[in-house]
Amino acid sequence: MIDSKKALLLEMITGKNRGLLATPGDKAAILSALTQLEEFNPNPRPLEVPQLLEGNWRLLYTSSDELLGIGRFPLLELGQIYQCIRVADRKVYNIAEVQSLPLLEGLVSVAAEFEPVSEKRVNVKFNRFIIGSQRFIGYQSPNSLISDIEKGKKFIAIDFSLQARDQKGWLDITYLDEDLRIGRGNVGSVFVLTKVI
């Protein structure tokens, strides 16, 4: 049952460019399939299985206008989007690769920390925002960027602290298995991600 519901959801989001190409009808159908899969969550207390949460996750689908909006700028094409979770440090890194004209590939990244507040909800506090050229940042991969951030490196980019702004949110982890995670955010957005590392 769970495998068929998971396969159906993955089939429905294929070809939707993470949601950019989803029609209102697609979105409603995807949300329905997603809700049905959540009912069979094999880990209803996802924070108690940190080994599954830990790692780098690639976004397959979202309803977040904030994320999808990056891909709506002229001459910009949204590349891969990652959410990298470091459970022991209670940190999360959102990294969006942006394609543009040759040699003008960009990067948008937000570093945050999270605090568990229930068996499936985490509060998120955003700490640092980085946007700039992948070349000037020296971007190779999510892991290399995270390593540079952790070392306190300042980038040749728009790079500033968000701590004074006290920007917060929350995320419910509503489905988690070895390679798929579903989350629902505080502004009503849904996120479907697959583990890559």
Side-chain angles (χ1 to χ4, degrees):
M1 178 71 82
I2 189 169
D3 288 341
S4 63
K5 291 189 179 297
K6 182 175 172 180
L8 175 64
L9 174 64
L10 292 174
E11 182 182 330
M12 293 176 83
I13 62 180
T14 297
K16 301 296 186 281
N17 192 9
R18 279 133 319 158
L20 274 168
L21 302 178
T23 67
D26 292 334
K27 291 177 184 177
I30 290 167
L31 187 59
S32 175
L34 185 148
T35 301
Q36 290 178 43
L37 181 58
E38 288 172 328
E39 293 174 11
F40 293 89
N41 185 1
N43 294 288
R45 294 186 169 122
L47 297 170
E48 293 179 7
V49 283
Q51 70 278 10
L52 292 183
L53 269 180
E54 177 76 22
N56 296 349
W57 297 81
R58 182 172 51 85
L59 185 73
L60 298 176
Y61 176 83
T62 185
S63 61
S64 168
D65 286 332
E66 189 174 84
L67 269 180
L68 295 176
I70 298 170
R72 293 190 177 112
F73 284 101
L75 301 177
L76 294 184
E77 181 181 327
L78 198 54
Q80 298 297 343
I81 300 175
Y82 299 96
Q83 186 173 75
C84 307
I85 299 175
R86 303 299 181 257
V87 176
D89 298 328
R90 292 189 174 182
K91 292 188 177 176
V92 61
Y93 302 88
N94 295 323
I95 301 167
E97 299 173 353
V98 181
Q99 310 304 319
S100 183
L101 300 172
L103 305 178
L104 292 179
E105 294 84 5
L107 186 79
V108 179
S109 178
V110 178
E113 55 192 45
F114 67 88
E115 177 187 5
V117 292
S118 76
E119 59 191 25
K120 67 177 184 177
R121 177 170 291 185
V122 293
N123 283 343
V124 180
K125 183 174 187 288
F126 302 101
N127 293 330
R128 187 173 174 188
F129 178 80
I130 301 164
I131 182 170
S133 161
Q134 290 183 25
R135 290 177 66 214
F136 291 151
I137 290 171
Y139 179 72
Q140 301 291 321
S141 68
N143 285 339
S144 66
L145 178 68
I146 291 167
S147 176
D148 286 342
I149 291 172
E150 287 303 303
K151 291 174 188 169
K153 180 177 178 180
K154 288 299 270 178
F155 299 99
I156 301 171
I158 298 170
D159 180 357
F160 58 89
S161 171
L162 297 171
Q163 293 182 353
R165 297 169 189 237
D166 201 31
Q167 294 194 335
K168 298 177 181 176
W170 55 258
L171 179 74
D172 285 340
I173 303 162
T174 56
Y175 180 92
L176 178 67
D177 66 21
E178 290 76 14
D179 62 0
L180 190 74
R181 178 165 55 92
I182 297 173
R184 292 180 180 254
N186 56 289
V187 293
S189 299
V190 297
F191 306 89
V192 181
L193 305 102
T194 185
K195 187 174 271 191
V196 291
I197 298 172

